[in-house]
């Protein structure tokens, strides 16, 4: 059970780091495109997709940890 929690915590941490990087990429690409310096449409698309994937990873990890925390309680109720 501890290994599952550790793996999910690592997954949430990595997803949070990727989310921050994706948001930075997204904002920088929007600013560069708005100033007309360079068309960064690929950066906008990649930043938005990466942020969506990272957010889904964070939600998956959080629900996984919640389920792992609730399993012993349900097992105790089932034994009675």
């Amino acid at each position: 059970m501890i290994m599952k929690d550790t793996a999910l915590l690592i997954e949430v941490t990595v997803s949070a780091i990727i989310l921050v990087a994706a948001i930075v990429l997204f904002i920088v690409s929007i600013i560069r495109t708005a100033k007309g310096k360079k068309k960064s449409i690929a950066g906008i698309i990649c930043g938005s997709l990466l942020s969506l994937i990272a957010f889904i990873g964070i939600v998956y990890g959080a629900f996984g940890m919640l389920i792992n925390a609730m399993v012993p309680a349900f097992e105790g109720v089932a034994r009675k």
Side-chain angles (χ1 to χ4, degrees):
M1 192 66 76
I2 293 175
M3 291 299 286
K4 288 181 185 178
D5 289 336
T6 305
L8 288 170
L9 187 62
I10 290 170
E11 188 262 333
V12 168
T13 306
V14 170
S15 292
I17 292 169
I18 292 172
L19 181 65
V20 170
I23 290 173
V24 168
L25 173 67
F26 184 68
I27 291 172
V28 167
S29 297
I30 288 176
I31 291 171
R32 291 185 94 184
T33 303
K35 288 184 179 178
K37 290 182 179 177
K38 186 179 180 183
K39 297 249 182 209
S40 298
I41 307 237
I44 294 171
I45 293 170
C46 289
S48 61
L49 287 176
L50 273 175
S51 62
L52 179 67
I53 291 169
F55 180 74
I56 290 171
I58 291 171
V59 170
Y60 172 78
F63 277 118
M65 286 190 283
L66 179 66
I67 289 170
N68 284 342
M70 291 171 50
V71 166
F74 286 125
E75 287 176 351
V77 171
R79 287 181 188 156
K80 288 184 179 181

